[in-house]
């Protein structure tokens, strides 16, 4: 593992190796030399701040960047008044982009105070030429831009700035159009010592007509099962008891491997890892969710009873135009099967309103699915036009006031559905993985049920990282108050 690296053994006086990940460890070692110099000059270690926008994929990418920075010797800080600031961007909806520009602009004041400050911008937004052009033109305070495919080269890019051209005002731009190899065995940090995200695949092949993801994250690539298992075994040794297997569409895992493996087969291997207590996964595409997986969910002892199953729309007509490859009826049948196989399962979803051409009838179909599926929670979105996607040039963009009104009705429907679910859960006891001391209420801790609900209950900090039975006593919508049910 990377935390056992003997840095003195890496000879930084030679040319860098060409193979990965050795090349990146070489650049980390070089940057470590720079950190030593910085420390001598300033009497402190350099501070780095990573700001993450968007989804779980980005969150995990940021943990990889942080892992590299920690190896180099940076201290993590939450303040943007730092020696290094990284913005890991999202572009799934237009307002995500707008937020980032504002935030990059705000960094100018820190750079004026600390001219040695390095600013890096990466992630999905940087895979789009217009965004890079805008930064080049209007945000000269940015030093390095890179994309989603070369995050593993973070140390090499940083070394370019710190060591090769520290005084240069030239922006380093390194964005790749296509993904190359998957580089294994690089460092990664995690927010909690006892749980971690694990990428099982990258990219997406689905091209839902509204979605930018396949264009900015590339085609589907699966990691080899042996690499995934080795990573999880290492994490378990390091104290992790829960993993979240991550992919844009985990149900199609393994199809492009030399020796194809199904997602269920992978889960069976993960289930057998000693010491691992809980397994989650995200995200499932309804069109690829197999009966084998449902059956496994019913008998697995480690899979959490939660599935995130994006609906997007309840209208079969719109689902076709969205290129989702299922109908309202297919979706509801799937939900029924899952509920039958896995009692007490929590189902969450993503829903878009305002997709081009959405009529009141289409929208009512969505409300009908919410009612019938009875979701535990839903992420609800107003359709956002993404240049380059098929939907962007479709007729019938829905007027803003109509969408806003539908959005409110959507929220109400989701609240009703959540409340119905709460009535089923209240009074029952569930295993809770305790995450932290509750900052708002003294004497309380906070954890998550397998269904992914937050629960606050009386307890002390030595429960953190443990899985304990908690009775749910009071529902506050998306979180609960409970009491320890005794070991
Ligand atoms: N507009 C609104 N929501 C979108 N999503 C993806 N693309 C768009 C878009 N153009 C939503 C989908 C997806 C979630 C991650 O983001 O619901 O499941
Ligand atoms: Fe986007 Fe569809 Fe892929 Fe999800 S499955 S990332 S919505 S294209």
């Amino acid at each position: 593992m990377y935390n056992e690296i003997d840095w003195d053994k890496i000879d930084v006086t030679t040319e860098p190796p060409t193979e990965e990940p050795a090349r990146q460890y070489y650049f980390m070692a070089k940057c470590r030399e720079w950190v030593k110099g910085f420390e001598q000059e300033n009497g402190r270690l350099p501070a780095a701040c990573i700001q993450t926008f968007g989804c779980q994929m980005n969150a995990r990418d940021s943990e990889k960047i942080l892992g590299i920075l920690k190896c180099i010797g940076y201290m993590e800080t939450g303040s943007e008044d730092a020696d290094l600031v990284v913005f890991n961007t999202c572009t799934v909806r237009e307002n995500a982009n707008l937020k980032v520009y504002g935030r990059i602009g705000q960094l100018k004041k820190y750079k004026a105070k600390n001219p040695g400050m390095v600013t890096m911008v990466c992630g999905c937004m940087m895979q789009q030429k217009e965004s890079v052009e805008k930064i080049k033109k209007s945000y000269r305070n940015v030093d390095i831009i890179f994309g989603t495919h070369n995050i593993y080269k973070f140390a090499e890019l940083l070394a370019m700035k710190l060591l090769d051209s520290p005084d240069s005002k030239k922006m380093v731009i390194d964005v790749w159009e296509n993904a190359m190899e998957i580089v294994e065995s690089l460092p990664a940090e995690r927010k909690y010592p006892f749980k971690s995200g694990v990428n099982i695949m990258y990219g997406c092949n689905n091209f839902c007509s509204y979605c930018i993801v396949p264009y900015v994250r590339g085609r589907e690539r699966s990691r080899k099962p042996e690499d995934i298992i080795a990573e999880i075994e290492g994490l378990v040794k390091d104290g992790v008891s829960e993993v979240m297997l991550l992919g844009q569409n985990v149900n199609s895992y393994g199809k492009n491997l030399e020796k194809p493996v199904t997602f269920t087969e992978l889960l069976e291997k993960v289930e057998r890892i000693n010491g691992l207590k809980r397994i989650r996964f995200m995200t499932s595409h309804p069109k690829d969710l197999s009966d084998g997986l449902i059956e496994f969910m019913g008998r697995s002892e480690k899979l959490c009873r939660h599935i995130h199953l994006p609906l997007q729309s309840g209208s079969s007509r719109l689902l076709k135009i969205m290129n989702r490859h299922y109908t309202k009826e297919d979706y509801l049948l799937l939900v029924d099967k899952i509920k039958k196989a896995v009692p007490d399962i929590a189902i969450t979803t993503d829903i878009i309103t305002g997709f081009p051409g959405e009529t009141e009838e289409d929208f009512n179909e969505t409300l009908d699915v919410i009612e019938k599926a009875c979701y535990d929670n839903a992420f609800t979105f107003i359709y956002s036009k993404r240049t380059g996607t098929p939907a962007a040039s479709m007729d019938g963009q829905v007027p803003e006031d109509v969408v806003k009104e539908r959005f409110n009705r959507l929220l109400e429907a989701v609240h009703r559905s959540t409340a119905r679910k709460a009535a089923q859960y209240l009074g029952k006891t569930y295993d809770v993985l305790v995450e932290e001391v509750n900052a708002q209420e003294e004497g309380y801790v906070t954890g998550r049920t397998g269904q992914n609900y937050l629960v606050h209950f009386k307890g002390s900090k030595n429960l953190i990282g443990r899985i304990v039975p908690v009775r749910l006593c009071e529902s506050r919508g998306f979180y609960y108050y409970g009491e320890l049910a005794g070991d």
Side-chain angles (χ1 to χ4, degrees):
M1 288 295 276
Y2 65 88
N3 46 7
E4 290 150 14
I5 288 276
D6 188 349
W7 295 102
D8 295 334
K9 284 224 176 97
I10 300 177
D11 183 0
V12 289
T13 59
T14 60
E15 283 296 300
T18 49
E19 74 279 13
E20 298 291 5
R23 185 175 172 88
Q24 296 314 310
Y25 281 101
Y26 168 94
F27 283 108
M28 281 182 238
K30 273 203 125 170
C31 290
R32 282 169 68 90
E33 300 287 308
W34 178 88
V35 166
K36 267 189 211 153
F38 180 98
E39 195 181 7
Q40 269 163 13
E41 209 172 294
N42 299 280
R44 62 173 179 90
L45 289 169
C49 173
I50 306 182
Q51 300 289 8
T52 311
F53 302 83
C55 68
Q56 303 259 5
M57 292 288 174
N58 265 18
R60 187 63 186 151
D61 284 346
S62 289
E63 290 181 344
K64 292 177 184 171
I65 294 172
L66 189 62
I68 295 170
L69 283 170
K70 290 251 169 106
C71 278
I72 292 173
Y74 276 83
M75 304 258 297
E76 191 191 0
T77 169
S79 160
E80 289 172 10
D81 187 3
D83 302 295
L84 171 66
V85 177
V86 185
F87 279 168
N88 189 3
T89 62
C90 168
T91 190
V92 78
R93 283 168 291 276
E94 182 63 22
N95 54 5
N97 285 32
L98 300 176
K99 244 192 260 169
V100 167
Y101 291 127
R103 296 278 296 274
I104 300 174
Q106 282 170 15
L107 290 181
K108 288 181 184 166
K109 61 176 185 282
Y110 298 125
K111 190 138 187 163
K113 221 171 63 177
N114 175 7
M117 173 183 175
V118 177
T119 305
M120 297 170 97
V121 186
C122 64
C124 295
M125 206 174 132
M126 296 304 102
Q127 291 295 137
Q128 292 178 298
K129 286 197 182 76
E130 318 82 76
S131 304
V132 173
E133 284 308 314
K134 182 158 176 174
I135 292 183
K136 261 165 74 180
K137 211 166 128 220
S138 311
Y139 299 94
R140 298 300 309 173
N141 58 321
V142 173
D143 298 290
I144 305 170
I145 291 178
F146 59 104
T148 54
H149 302 309
N150 53 348
I151 284 184
Y152 73 92
K153 284 201 169 241
F154 183 87
E156 186 168 347
L157 290 164
L158 183 62
M160 265 193 225
K161 176 74 197 166
L162 294 180
L163 306 164
D164 300 345
S165 56
D167 302 320
S168 161
K169 297 255 181 302
K170 209 167 158 256
M171 218 181 261
V172 176
I173 301 175
D174 192 11
V175 179
W176 302 355
E177 253 178 56
N178 296 308
M180 309 296 267
E181 62 198 311
I182 297 178
V183 178
E184 295 289 346
S185 304
L186 278 164
E189 278 289 309
R190 54 183 188 269
K191 189 171 167 203
Y192 297 102
F194 44 82
K195 66 174 193 177
S196 180
V198 174
N199 295 104
I200 63 166
M201 61 202 297
Y202 302 94
C204 181
N205 283 356
N206 291 314
F207 290 94
C208 301
S209 60
Y210 50 83
C211 186
I212 198 77
V213 169
Y215 306 88
V216 296
R217 289 230 165 229
R219 294 298 73 73
E220 221 168 76
R221 281 111 44 219
S222 295
R223 286 176 73 195
K224 291 194 196 109
E226 55 271 29
D227 290 331
I228 297 169
I229 300 297
E231 178 178 346
I232 301 176
E233 282 172 346
L235 287 167
V236 170
K237 245 196 227 157
D238 205 30
V240 164
S241 50
E242 177 184 302
V243 288
M244 162 85 94
L245 308 181
L246 296 170
Q248 305 291 352
N249 176 14
V250 290
N251 304 117
S252 70
Y253 168 80
K255 285 188 183 151
N256 60 350
L257 286 169
E258 225 169 87
K259 279 192 246 150
V261 174
T262 67
F263 181 51
T264 311
E265 285 162 350
L266 175 73
L267 281 173
E268 281 168 349
K269 286 185 209 290
V270 178
E271 173 105 1
R272 286 197 288 273
I273 297 176
N274 277 335
L276 182 68
K277 300 209 174 87
R278 277 178 159 191
I279 308 166
R280 297 183 184 278
F281 57 83
M282 183 145 169
T283 290
S284 291
H285 193 308
K287 80 176 164 63
D288 295 314
L289 204 146
S290 68
D291 286 347
L293 176 60
I294 297 176
E295 190 263 324
F296 181 71
M297 281 163 65
R299 72 182 145 86
S300 163
E301 287 179 3
K302 297 186 179 174
L303 264 184
C304 287
R305 292 188 170 176
H306 171 218
I307 187 160
H308 186 67
L309 198 62
L311 168 70
Q312 312 301 1
S313 167
S315 153
S316 297
R317 186 187 79 83
L318 279 193
L319 285 168
K320 194 158 191 313
I321 306 174
M322 286 177 163
N323 197 28
R324 294 289 290 176
H325 297 280
Y326 55 85
T327 62
K328 175 187 179 188
E329 290 70 31
D330 297 334
Y331 185 94
L332 285 173
L333 216 65
L334 195 61
V335 166
D336 263 356
K337 265 197 221 169
I338 298 170
K339 283 183 179 166
K340 280 205 185 92
V342 196
D344 262 2
I345 189 153
I347 306 183
T348 56
T349 198
D350 292 344
I351 298 172
I352 300 174
T353 183
F355 183 82
E358 184 187 62
T359 62
E360 189 59 22
E361 289 76 53
D362 293 319
F363 181 68
N364 282 331
E365 299 276 17
T366 301
L367 294 181
D368 189 43
V369 176
I370 298 177
E371 179 77 20
K372 293 196 165 113
C374 194
Y375 291 113
D376 288 73
N377 200 358
F379 296 102
T380 47
F381 306 106
I382 288 180
Y383 167 73
S384 169
K385 191 171 173 172
R386 307 316 290 128
T387 311
T389 62
S393 52
M394 285 180 190
D395 291 336
Q397 305 283 333
V398 186
E400 213 180 299
D401 53 333
V402 175
V403 183
K404 282 208 169 128
E405 190 273 332
R406 283 184 192 159
F407 187 73
N408 288 337
R409 276 192 281 157
L410 204 55
L411 289 180
E412 283 165 20
V414 174
H415 278 117
R416 278 198 302 274
S417 173
T418 305
R420 270 169 61 204
K421 271 300 177 77
Q424 288 174 30
Y425 298 136
L426 277 174
K428 290 193 185 165
T429 298
Y430 294 100
D431 282 344
V432 168
L433 172 59
V434 185
E435 294 188 349
E436 57 206 357
V437 167
N438 188 325
Q440 271 88 46
E441 268 165 299
E442 223 187 298
Y444 276 74
V445 289
T446 298
R448 274 180 198 275
T449 63
Q451 287 105 331
N452 212 26
Y453 279 99
L454 274 180
V455 187
H456 307 303
F457 63 99
K458 265 194 192 140
S460 68
K461 70 169 190 289
N462 51 25
L463 289 178
I464 293 173
R466 282 179 53 195
I467 296 177
V468 291
V470 177
R471 190 169 26 260
L472 304 187
C473 306
E474 191 189 331
S475 162
R476 296 279 179 97
F478 303 118
Y479 66 96
Y480 285 83
Y481 276 91
E483 59 190 22
L484 202 60
D487 286 54

